[in-house]
Amino acid sequence: MAKSSFADWLAALLRHLHFPEAATPSPVATFHFEGKPDVHVTGSKGQVDMMSEAGLLAAPYSTDILLGLLALNRCSGADDPANVMLHSASGTVIVWARQRQAALDAVEGARLLQAVPQKSEAVQRLLGKPPQAVSRRDAAALKRLLPRQVQKPT
């Protein structure tokens, strides 16, 4: 894929998904899927990040739940690019994925956009909650919960 702006990449993704393009380019796109967690898509320094708030845990965290979250990450890789993390201070469980924009065409972007809410639903099943839209944070607030090395792409 030729070098382009995040807005160009997002426009290509929206066309691929048969969604109307945004009249004004935005640094963040939020996809609302009926009955599924929202996915925030942002672009920065040649990277595309997709994030979803999958749930909230109350401390103290159950060992079984933590092991289950780790097991969901064990599946991550080329076939399952979404990662699960726990922000321990708030108990927020976040599913996120990052790919280099130059390596992510509209087809791969759509696949990634499906992988994030699917992994969020797996987290919700693990937590014993029915899959639902739980995100109440905007993309900027959710991104601040990610570890520093994830916040600042290299």
Side-chain angles (χ1 to χ4, degrees):
M1 180 176 202
K3 186 173 181 174
S4 67
S5 70
F6 174 71
D8 294 337
W9 178 85
L10 183 59
L13 177 65
L14 292 172
R15 279 191 303 277
H16 176 76
L17 296 171
H18 307 289
F19 288 179
E21 286 187 44
T24 307
S26 172
V28 177
T30 299
F31 290 83
H32 305 283
F33 300 103
E34 188 172 333
K36 294 184 182 211
D38 292 347
V39 178
H40 302 292
V41 181
T42 65
S44 175
K45 298 181 183 175
Q47 303 285 335
V48 174
D49 292 310
M50 296 189 186
M51 302 164 281
S52 178
E53 186 176 345
L56 192 61
L57 294 181
Y61 308 130
S62 152
T63 302
D64 290 339
I65 294 293
L66 294 176
L67 289 173
L69 293 174
L70 284 172
L72 288 173
N73 269 345
R74 192 175 52 208
C75 303
S76 296
D79 292 334
D80 183 10
N83 298 287
V84 178
M85 67 150 286
L86 171 64
H87 183 259
S88 60
S90 68
T92 303
V93 181
I94 301 169
V95 174
W96 64 276
R98 168 174 286 163
Q99 296 287 322
R100 283 188 13 235
Q101 181 179 313
L104 198 61
D105 63 13
V107 172
E108 283 299 307
R111 187 176 77 78
L112 193 60
L113 190 59
Q114 291 175 339
V116 171
Q118 285 173 353
K119 181 74 68 107
S120 290
E121 288 180 309
V123 168
Q124 290 173 349
R125 284 190 298 275
L126 176 71
L127 300 179
K129 299 178 177 164
Q132 59 184 333
V134 295
S135 183
R136 296 297 170 248
R137 291 179 172 87
D138 63 16
L142 203 54
K143 196 164 188 171
R144 281 192 297 273
L145 297 180
L146 295 174
R148 260 193 223 294
Q149 63 271 23
V150 174
Q151 291 178 18
K152 298 178 182 174
T154 55

